[in-house]
PDB file of all heavy atoms in Angstrom:
ATOM      1  N   GLU A 179       0.876  16.425  26.574  1.00 97.00           N
ATOM      2  CA  GLU A 179      -0.135  15.511  26.119  1.00 97.00           C
ATOM      3  C   GLU A 179      -0.452  15.917  24.496  1.00 97.00           C
ATOM      4  O   GLU A 179      -0.372  15.010  23.652  1.00 97.00           O
ATOM      5  CB  GLU A 179      -1.339  15.481  26.867  1.00 97.00           C
ATOM      6  CG  GLU A 179      -2.606  15.102  26.175  1.00 97.00           C
ATOM      7  CD  GLU A 179      -2.649  13.809  25.486  1.00 97.00           C
ATOM      8  OE1 GLU A 179      -1.789  12.928  25.853  1.00 97.00           O
ATOM      9  OE2 GLU A 179      -3.487  13.511  24.604  1.00 97.00           O
ATOM     10  N   LYS A 180      -0.889  17.156  24.372  1.00 95.00           N
ATOM     11  CA  LYS A 180      -1.385  17.553  22.983  1.00 95.00           C
ATOM     12  C   LYS A 180      -0.214  17.928  22.111  1.00 95.00           C
ATOM     13  O   LYS A 180      -0.248  17.772  20.913  1.00 95.00           O
ATOM     14  CB  LYS A 180      -2.360  18.556  23.131  1.00 95.00           C
ATOM     15  CG  LYS A 180      -3.083  18.995  21.836  1.00 95.00           C
ATOM     16  CD  LYS A 180      -3.936  17.998  21.296  1.00 95.00           C
ATOM     17  CE  LYS A 180      -3.790  17.900  19.819  1.00 95.00           C
ATOM     18  NZ  LYS A 180      -2.541  17.421  19.173  1.00 95.00           N
ATOM     19  N   CYS A 181       0.773  18.710  22.675  1.00 97.00           N
ATOM     20  CA  CYS A 181       1.690  19.501  21.889  1.00 97.00           C
ATOM     21  C   CYS A 181       3.078  18.959  21.676  1.00 97.00           C
ATOM     22  O   CYS A 181       3.802  19.618  20.947  1.00 97.00           O
ATOM     23  CB  CYS A 181       1.777  20.926  22.454  1.00 97.00           C
ATOM     24  SG  CYS A 181       0.150  21.706  22.642  1.00 97.00           S
ATOM     25  N   CYS A 182       3.420  17.725  22.253  1.00 97.00           N
ATOM     26  CA  CYS A 182       4.727  17.300  22.029  1.00 97.00           C
ATOM     27  C   CYS A 182       4.918  16.976  20.528  1.00 97.00           C
ATOM     28  O   CYS A 182       6.050  16.987  20.075  1.00 97.00           O
ATOM     29  CB  CYS A 182       5.102  16.062  22.873  1.00 97.00           C
ATOM     30  SG  CYS A 182       3.898  14.579  22.640  1.00 97.00           S
ATOM     31  N   HIS A 183       3.860  16.629  19.840  1.00 97.00           N
ATOM     32  CA  HIS A 183       4.039  16.449  18.361  1.00 97.00           C
ATOM     33  C   HIS A 183       4.524  17.806  17.688  1.00 97.00           C
ATOM     34  O   HIS A 183       5.464  17.626  16.879  1.00 97.00           O
ATOM     35  CB  HIS A 183       2.628  16.302  17.739  1.00 97.00           C
ATOM     36  CG  HIS A 183       1.975  14.971  17.774  1.00 97.00           C
ATOM     37  ND1 HIS A 183       2.551  13.739  17.365  1.00 97.00           N
ATOM     38  CD2 HIS A 183       0.866  14.488  18.520  1.00 97.00           C
ATOM     39  CE1 HIS A 183       1.823  12.788  17.656  1.00 97.00           C
ATOM     40  NE2 HIS A 183       0.774  13.255  18.277  1.00 97.00           N
ATOM     41  N   PHE A 184       4.083  18.850  18.189  1.00 98.00           N
ATOM     42  CA  PHE A 184       4.495  20.065  17.498  1.00 98.00           C
ATOM     43  C   PHE A 184       5.944  20.524  17.870  1.00 98.00           C
ATOM     44  O   PHE A 184       6.665  21.175  16.982  1.00 98.00           O
ATOM     45  CB  PHE A 184       3.596  21.180  17.886  1.00 98.00           C
ATOM     46  CG  PHE A 184       2.145  21.007  17.504  1.00 98.00           C
ATOM     47  CD1 PHE A 184       1.028  21.098  18.361  1.00 98.00           C
ATOM     48  CD2 PHE A 184       1.850  20.531  16.206  1.00 98.00           C
ATOM     49  CE1 PHE A 184      -0.164  20.706  18.010  1.00 98.00           C
ATOM     50  CE2 PHE A 184       0.561  20.204  15.866  1.00 98.00           C
ATOM     51  CZ  PHE A 184      -0.477  20.291  16.683  1.00 98.00           C
ATOM     52  N   PHE A 185       6.266  20.304  19.103  1.00 98.00           N
ATOM     53  CA  PHE A 185       7.766  20.518  19.472  1.00 98.00           C
ATOM     54  C   PHE A 185       8.703  19.526  18.709  1.00 98.00           C
ATOM     55  O   PHE A 185       9.846  19.895  18.461  1.00 98.00           O
ATOM     56  CB  PHE A 185       7.861  20.293  21.006  1.00 98.00           C
ATOM     57  CG  PHE A 185       7.096  21.356  21.794  1.00 98.00           C
ATOM     58  CD1 PHE A 185       6.186  20.840  22.779  1.00 98.00           C
ATOM     59  CD2 PHE A 185       7.093  22.672  21.506  1.00 98.00           C
ATOM     60  CE1 PHE A 185       5.466  21.782  23.513  1.00 98.00           C
ATOM     61  CE2 PHE A 185       6.351  23.531  22.173  1.00 98.00           C
ATOM     62  CZ  PHE A 185       5.493  23.129  23.243  1.00 98.00           C
ATOM     63  N   ASP A 186       8.206  18.325  18.360  1.00 98.00           N
ATOM     64  CA  ASP A 186       8.889  17.427  17.574  1.00 98.00           C
ATOM     65  C   ASP A 186       9.112  17.958  16.176  1.00 98.00           C
ATOM     66  O   ASP A 186      10.220  17.947  15.664  1.00 98.00           O
ATOM     67  CB  ASP A 186       8.325  16.117  17.584  1.00 98.00           C
ATOM     68  CG  ASP A 186       9.032  15.093  16.651  1.00 98.00           C
ATOM     69  OD1 ASP A 186      10.167  14.671  16.988  1.00 98.00           O
ATOM     70  OD2 ASP A 186       8.333  14.720  15.549  1.00 98.00           O
ATOM     71  N   LEU A 187       8.087  18.463  15.663  1.00 98.00           N
ATOM     72  CA  LEU A 187       7.983  19.175  14.288  1.00 98.00           C
ATOM     73  C   LEU A 187       9.023  20.384  14.325  1.00 98.00           C
ATOM     74  O   LEU A 187       9.832  20.489  13.237  1.00 98.00           O
ATOM     75  CB  LEU A 187       6.661  19.615  13.862  1.00 98.00           C
ATOM     76  CG  LEU A 187       5.715  18.410  13.548  1.00 98.00           C
ATOM     77  CD1 LEU A 187       4.374  19.011  13.077  1.00 98.00           C
ATOM     78  CD2 LEU A 187       6.243  17.454  12.451  1.00 98.00           C
ATOM     79  N   MET A 188       9.070  21.104  15.305  1.00 98.00           N
ATOM     80  CA  MET A 188       9.890  22.190  15.378  1.00 98.00           C
ATOM     81  C   MET A 188      11.380  21.822  15.244  1.00 98.00           C
ATOM     82  O   MET A 188      12.128  22.419  14.505  1.00 98.00           O
ATOM     83  CB  MET A 188       9.736  23.055  16.658  1.00 98.00           C
ATOM     84  CG  MET A 188       8.524  23.797  16.773  1.00 98.00           C
ATOM     85  SD  MET A 188       8.423  24.579  18.506  1.00 98.00           S
ATOM     86  CE  MET A 188       6.733  25.352  18.352  1.00 98.00           C
ATOM     87  N   ARG A 189      11.729  20.808  15.897  1.00 97.00           N
ATOM     88  CA  ARG A 189      13.133  20.329  15.842  1.00 97.00           C
ATOM     89  C   ARG A 189      13.454  19.679  14.522  1.00 97.00           C
ATOM     90  O   ARG A 189      14.629  19.697  14.176  1.00 97.00           O
ATOM     91  CB  ARG A 189      13.368  19.256  16.962  1.00 97.00           C
ATOM     92  CG  ARG A 189      13.281  19.823  18.331  1.00 97.00           C
ATOM     93  CD  ARG A 189      13.633  18.776  19.469  1.00 97.00           C
ATOM     94  NE  ARG A 189      14.898  18.304  19.253  1.00 97.00           N
ATOM     95  CZ  ARG A 189      15.150  17.039  18.970  1.00 97.00           C
ATOM     96  NH1 ARG A 189      14.238  16.118  18.794  1.00 97.00           N
ATOM     97  NH2 ARG A 189      16.462  16.583  18.951  1.00 97.00           N
ATOM     98  N   LEU A 190      12.439  19.214  13.829  1.00 97.00           N
ATOM     99  CA  LEU A 190      12.732  18.647  12.429  1.00 97.00           C
ATOM    100  C   LEU A 190      12.887  19.854  11.429  1.00 97.00           C
ATOM    101  O   LEU A 190      13.760  19.725  10.595  1.00 97.00           O
ATOM    102  CB  LEU A 190      11.548  17.827  11.919  1.00 97.00           C
ATOM    103  CG  LEU A 190      11.465  16.371  12.535  1.00 97.00           C
ATOM    104  CD1 LEU A 190      10.144  15.784  11.980  1.00 97.00           C
ATOM    105  CD2 LEU A 190      12.671  15.620  12.164  1.00 97.00           C
ATOM    106  N   VAL A 191      12.101  20.864  11.563  1.00 98.00           N
ATOM    107  CA  VAL A 191      12.218  21.960  10.620  1.00 98.00           C
ATOM    108  C   VAL A 191      13.438  22.891  10.891  1.00 98.00           C
ATOM    109  O   VAL A 191      14.091  23.336   9.853  1.00 98.00           O
ATOM    110  CB  VAL A 191      10.872  22.777  10.744  1.00 98.00           C
ATOM    111  CG1 VAL A 191      10.891  23.959   9.763  1.00 98.00           C
ATOM    112  CG2 VAL A 191       9.586  21.897  10.269  1.00 98.00           C
ATOM    113  N   ILE A 192      13.785  23.094  12.114  1.00 97.00           N
ATOM    114  CA  ILE A 192      14.868  23.891  12.366  1.00 97.00           C
ATOM    115  C   ILE A 192      16.101  23.042  12.825  1.00 97.00           C
ATOM    116  O   ILE A 192      16.039  22.482  13.922  1.00 97.00           O
ATOM    117  CB  ILE A 192      14.477  24.966  13.544  1.00 97.00           C
ATOM    118  CG1 ILE A 192      13.332  25.878  13.075  1.00 97.00           C
ATOM    119  CG2 ILE A 192      15.694  25.835  14.006  1.00 97.00           C
ATOM    120  CD1 ILE A 192      12.721  26.703  14.107  1.00 97.00           C
ATOM    121  N   PRO A 193      17.105  23.041  12.033  1.00 92.00           N
ATOM    122  CA  PRO A 193      18.175  22.126  12.374  1.00 92.00           C
ATOM    123  C   PRO A 193      19.184  22.710  13.418  1.00 92.00           C
ATOM    124  O   PRO A 193      20.301  23.089  13.128  1.00 92.00           O
ATOM    125  CB  PRO A 193      18.915  21.960  11.061  1.00 92.00           C
ATOM    126  CG  PRO A 193      18.633  23.332  10.361  1.00 92.00           C
ATOM    127  CD  PRO A 193      17.303  23.710  10.827  1.00 92.00           C
ATOM    128  N   SER A 194      18.625  22.782  14.679  1.00 95.00           N
ATOM    129  CA  SER A 194      19.373  23.449  15.772  1.00 95.00           C
ATOM    130  C   SER A 194      18.780  22.945  17.065  1.00 95.00           C
ATOM    131  O   SER A 194      17.718  22.427  16.988  1.00 95.00           O
ATOM    132  CB  SER A 194      19.346  24.985  15.651  1.00 95.00           C
ATOM    133  OG  SER A 194      20.159  25.637  16.583  1.00 95.00           O
ATOM    134  N   ASP A 195      19.568  23.272  18.118  1.00 95.00           N
ATOM    135  CA  ASP A 195      19.027  22.794  19.442  1.00 95.00           C
ATOM    136  C   ASP A 195      18.145  23.929  20.110  1.00 95.00           C
ATOM    137  O   ASP A 195      18.553  25.027  19.999  1.00 95.00           O
ATOM    138  CB  ASP A 195      20.146  22.504  20.409  1.00 95.00           C
ATOM    139  CG  ASP A 195      20.851  21.250  19.966  1.00 95.00           C
ATOM    140  OD1 ASP A 195      20.252  20.388  19.363  1.00 95.00           O
ATOM    141  OD2 ASP A 195      22.101  21.201  20.214  1.00 95.00           O
ATOM    142  N   PRO A 196      17.033  23.580  20.624  1.00 98.00           N
ATOM    143  CA  PRO A 196      16.310  24.521  21.378  1.00 98.00           C
ATOM    144  C   PRO A 196      17.070  25.028  22.689  1.00 98.00           C
ATOM    145  O   PRO A 196      17.685  24.233  23.263  1.00 98.00           O
ATOM    146  CB  PRO A 196      15.032  23.799  21.736  1.00 98.00           C
ATOM    147  CG  PRO A 196      15.301  22.347  21.799  1.00 98.00           C
ATOM    148  CD  PRO A 196      16.452  22.125  20.790  1.00 98.00           C
ATOM    149  N   VAL A 197      16.920  26.295  22.978  1.00 98.00           N
ATOM    150  CA  VAL A 197      17.656  26.707  24.093  1.00 98.00           C
ATOM    151  C   VAL A 197      16.749  27.388  25.161  1.00 98.00           C
ATOM    152  O   VAL A 197      17.104  27.346  26.388  1.00 98.00           O
ATOM    153  CB  VAL A 197      18.835  27.852  23.762  1.00 98.00           C
ATOM    154  CG1 VAL A 197      19.897  27.196  22.868  1.00 98.00           C
ATOM    155  CG2 VAL A 197      18.236  28.950  23.023  1.00 98.00           C
ATOM    156  N   ARG A 198      15.690  28.047  24.810  1.00 98.00           N
ATOM    157  CA  ARG A 198      14.840  28.629  25.754  1.00 98.00           C
ATOM    158  C   ARG A 198      13.318  28.597  25.303  1.00 98.00           C
ATOM    159  O   ARG A 198      13.043  28.644  24.112  1.00 98.00           O
ATOM    160  CB  ARG A 198      15.280  30.042  26.272  1.00 98.00           C
ATOM    161  CG  ARG A 198      15.221  30.999  25.234  1.00 98.00           C
ATOM    162  CD  ARG A 198      15.828  32.403  25.735  1.00 98.00           C
ATOM    163  NE  ARG A 198      17.187  32.226  26.114  1.00 98.00           N
ATOM    164  CZ  ARG A 198      18.264  32.271  25.369  1.00 98.00           C
ATOM    165  NH1 ARG A 198      18.112  32.700  24.041  1.00 98.00           N
ATOM    166  NH2 ARG A 198      19.476  32.163  25.733  1.00 98.00           N
ATOM    167  N   VAL A 199      12.513  28.642  26.272  1.00 98.00           N
ATOM    168  CA  VAL A 199      11.020  28.502  26.109  1.00 98.00           C
ATOM    169  C   VAL A 199      10.227  29.604  26.878  1.00 98.00           C
ATOM    170  O   VAL A 199      10.597  29.803  27.950  1.00 98.00           O
ATOM    171  CB  VAL A 199      10.426  27.145  26.463  1.00 98.00           C
ATOM    172  CG1 VAL A 199       8.935  27.092  26.355  1.00 98.00           C
ATOM    173  CG2 VAL A 199      11.126  26.049  25.613  1.00 98.00           C
ATOM    174  N   MET A 200       9.390  30.204  26.239  1.00 98.00           N
ATOM    175  CA  MET A 200       8.336  31.217  26.939  1.00 98.00           C
ATOM    176  C   MET A 200       6.964  30.960  26.523  1.00 98.00           C
ATOM    177  O   MET A 200       6.682  30.653  25.392  1.00 98.00           O
ATOM    178  CB  MET A 200       8.767  32.634  26.422  1.00 98.00           C
ATOM    179  CG  MET A 200      10.073  33.156  26.705  1.00 98.00           C
ATOM    180  SD  MET A 200      10.660  34.464  25.643  1.00 98.00           S
ATOM    181  CE  MET A 200      11.412  33.428  24.254  1.00 98.00           C
ATOM    182  N   ALA A 201       6.110  30.798  27.488  1.00 98.00           N
ATOM    183  CA  ALA A 201       4.813  30.477  27.264  1.00 98.00           C
ATOM    184  C   ALA A 201       3.762  31.155  28.139  1.00 98.00           C
ATOM    185  O   ALA A 201       4.025  31.601  29.229  1.00 98.00           O
ATOM    186  CB  ALA A 201       4.627  28.877  27.527  1.00 98.00           C
ATOM    187  N   SER A 202       2.562  31.129  27.615  1.00 98.00           N
ATOM    188  CA  SER A 202       1.413  31.656  28.316  1.00 98.00           C
ATOM    189  C   SER A 202       0.229  30.889  27.969  1.00 98.00           C
ATOM    190  O   SER A 202      -0.083  30.578  26.818  1.00 98.00           O
ATOM    191  CB  SER A 202       1.135  33.245  27.889  1.00 98.00           C
ATOM    192  OG  SER A 202       0.001  33.699  28.606  1.00 98.00           O
ATOM    193  N   ALA A 203      -0.569  30.395  28.943  1.00 98.00           N
ATOM    194  CA  ALA A 203      -1.615  29.453  28.740  1.00 98.00           C
ATOM    195  C   ALA A 203      -2.552  29.404  29.879  1.00 98.00           C
ATOM    196  O   ALA A 203      -2.388  30.074  30.954  1.00 98.00           O
ATOM    197  CB  ALA A 203      -1.093  28.091  28.530  1.00 98.00           C
ATOM    198  N   GLY A 204      -3.855  28.802  29.533  1.00 98.00           N
ATOM    199  CA  GLY A 204      -4.805  28.731  30.656  1.00 98.00           C
ATOM    200  C   GLY A 204      -5.963  27.917  30.210  1.00 98.00           C
ATOM    201  O   GLY A 204      -5.992  27.292  29.203  1.00 98.00           O
ATOM    202  N   GLN A 205      -6.988  27.958  30.946  1.00 98.00           N
ATOM    203  CA  GLN A 205      -8.187  27.157  30.852  1.00 98.00           C
ATOM    204  C   GLN A 205      -9.343  28.233  30.853  1.00 98.00           C
ATOM    205  O   GLN A 205      -9.839  28.725  31.797  1.00 98.00           O
ATOM    206  CB  GLN A 205      -8.507  26.240  32.075  1.00 98.00           C
ATOM    207  CG  GLN A 205      -9.616  25.261  31.875  1.00 98.00           C
ATOM    208  CD  GLN A 205      -9.779  24.296  33.055  1.00 98.00           C
ATOM    209  OE1 GLN A 205      -9.039  24.496  34.057  1.00 98.00           O
ATOM    210  NE2 GLN A 205     -10.610  23.342  32.872  1.00 98.00           N
ATOM    211  N   ALA A 206      -9.993  28.414  29.607  1.00 98.00           N
ATOM    212  CA  ALA A 206     -10.831  29.534  29.395  1.00 98.00           C
ATOM    213  C   ALA A 206     -12.288  28.980  29.216  1.00 98.00           C
ATOM    214  O   ALA A 206     -13.190  29.762  29.620  1.00 98.00           O
ATOM    215  CB  ALA A 206     -10.546  30.407  28.219  1.00 98.00           C
ATOM    216  N   ALA A 207     -12.475  27.883  28.578  1.00 97.00           N
ATOM    217  CA  ALA A 207     -13.787  27.371  28.163  1.00 97.00           C
ATOM    218  C   ALA A 207     -14.195  25.979  28.416  1.00 97.00           C
ATOM    219  O   ALA A 207     -15.277  25.692  28.627  1.00 97.00           O
ATOM    220  CB  ALA A 207     -13.906  27.784  26.651  1.00 97.00           C
ATOM    221  N   ASN A 208     -13.154  25.044  28.376  1.00 97.00           N
ATOM    222  CA  ASN A 208     -13.450  23.643  28.462  1.00 97.00           C
ATOM    223  C   ASN A 208     -13.407  23.098  29.778  1.00 97.00           C
ATOM    224  O   ASN A 208     -12.400  23.336  30.526  1.00 97.00           O
ATOM    225  CB  ASN A 208     -12.446  22.985  27.397  1.00 97.00           C
ATOM    226  CG  ASN A 208     -12.567  23.263  25.992  1.00 97.00           C
ATOM    227  OD1 ASN A 208     -13.653  23.989  25.640  1.00 97.00           O
ATOM    228  ND2 ASN A 208     -11.604  23.054  25.181  1.00 97.00           N
ATOM    229  N   HIS A 209     -14.363  22.164  30.001  1.00 97.00           N
ATOM    230  CA  HIS A 209     -14.374  21.250  31.135  1.00 97.00           C
ATOM    231  C   HIS A 209     -14.557  21.874  32.484  1.00 97.00           C
ATOM    232  O   HIS A 209     -14.487  21.290  33.613  1.00 97.00           O
ATOM    233  CB  HIS A 209     -12.965  20.455  31.289  1.00 97.00           C
ATOM    234  CG  HIS A 209     -12.505  19.813  29.925  1.00 97.00           C
ATOM    235  ND1 HIS A 209     -13.315  19.044  29.159  1.00 97.00           N
ATOM    236  CD2 HIS A 209     -11.320  19.997  29.268  1.00 97.00           C
ATOM    237  CE1 HIS A 209     -12.600  18.703  28.036  1.00 97.00           C
ATOM    238  NE2 HIS A 209     -11.393  19.435  28.069  1.00 97.00           N
ATOM    239  N   LEU A 210     -14.846  23.127  32.519  1.00 96.00           N
ATOM    240  CA  LEU A 210     -15.022  23.880  33.839  1.00 96.00           C
ATOM    241  C   LEU A 210     -16.227  23.503  34.566  1.00 96.00           C
ATOM    242  O   LEU A 210     -16.310  23.692  35.752  1.00 96.00           O
ATOM    243  CB  LEU A 210     -15.112  25.377  33.492  1.00 96.00           C
ATOM    244  CG  LEU A 210     -13.767  26.054  32.961  1.00 96.00           C
ATOM    245  CD1 LEU A 210     -13.935  27.521  32.490  1.00 96.00           C
ATOM    246  CD2 LEU A 210     -12.632  25.973  34.005  1.00 96.00           C
ATOM    247  N   ASP A 211     -17.197  22.946  33.900  1.00 95.00           N
ATOM    248  CA  ASP A 211     -18.428  22.402  34.465  1.00 95.00           C
ATOM    249  C   ASP A 211     -18.464  20.984  34.761  1.00 95.00           C
ATOM    250  O   ASP A 211     -19.423  20.355  35.082  1.00 95.00           O
ATOM    251  CB  ASP A 211     -19.643  22.881  33.718  1.00 95.00           C
ATOM    252  CG  ASP A 211     -19.672  22.188  32.264  1.00 95.00           C
ATOM    253  OD1 ASP A 211     -18.561  21.635  31.877  1.00 95.00           O
ATOM    254  OD2 ASP A 211     -20.545  22.303  31.542  1.00 95.00           O
ATOM    255  N   GLU A 212     -17.261  20.323  34.628  1.00 96.00           N
ATOM    256  CA  GLU A 212     -17.169  18.896  34.843  1.00 96.00           C
ATOM    257  C   GLU A 212     -16.641  18.628  36.268  1.00 96.00           C
ATOM    258  O   GLU A 212     -15.917  19.445  36.852  1.00 96.00           O
ATOM    259  CB  GLU A 212     -16.234  18.225  33.874  1.00 96.00           C
ATOM    260  CG  GLU A 212     -16.706  18.386  32.319  1.00 96.00           C
ATOM    261  CD  GLU A 212     -15.721  17.893  31.332  1.00 96.00           C
ATOM    262  OE1 GLU A 212     -14.694  17.213  31.762  1.00 96.00           O
ATOM    263  OE2 GLU A 212     -16.014  18.054  30.148  1.00 96.00           O
ATOM    264  N   SER A 213     -16.929  17.435  36.812  1.00 96.00           N
ATOM    265  CA  SER A 213     -16.335  17.171  38.151  1.00 96.00           C
ATOM    266  C   SER A 213     -16.097  15.597  38.107  1.00 96.00           C
ATOM    267  O   SER A 213     -16.961  14.797  37.664  1.00 96.00           O
ATOM    268  CB  SER A 213     -17.327  17.478  39.278  1.00 96.00           C
ATOM    269  OG  SER A 213     -16.734  17.132  40.516  1.00 96.00           O
ATOM    270  N   TYR A 214     -14.918  15.208  38.658  1.00 95.00           N
ATOM    271  CA  TYR A 214     -14.667  13.860  38.731  1.00 95.00           C
ATOM    272  C   TYR A 214     -13.975  13.564  40.091  1.00 95.00           C
ATOM    273  O   TYR A 214     -13.051  14.050  40.506  1.00 95.00           O
ATOM    274  CB  TYR A 214     -13.567  13.440  37.627  1.00 95.00           C
ATOM    275  CG  TYR A 214     -13.998  13.740  36.286  1.00 95.00           C
ATOM    276  CD1 TYR A 214     -13.517  14.981  35.624  1.00 95.00           C
ATOM    277  CD2 TYR A 214     -14.777  12.933  35.479  1.00 95.00           C
ATOM    278  CE1 TYR A 214     -14.028  15.284  34.369  1.00 95.00           C
ATOM    279  CE2 TYR A 214     -15.191  13.284  34.245  1.00 95.00           C
ATOM    280  CZ  TYR A 214     -14.913  14.394  33.770  1.00 95.00           C
ATOM    281  OH  TYR A 214     -15.251  14.732  32.418  1.00 95.00           O
TER     282      TYR A 214
END
Side-chain angles (χ1 to χ4, degrees):
E179 152 57 19
K180 180 70 219 65
C181 301
C182 62
H183 282 299
F184 301 129
F185 300 126
D186 179 61
L187 292 178
M188 288 178 183
R189 294 183 60 244
L190 282 179
V191 174
I192 299 173
S194 181
D195 292 327
V197 293
R198 64 185 60 88
V199 173
M200 295 156 277
S202 177
Q205 186 180 12
N208 296 343
H209 316 305
L210 293 169
D211 59 351
E212 299 174 7
S213 179
Y214 304 95

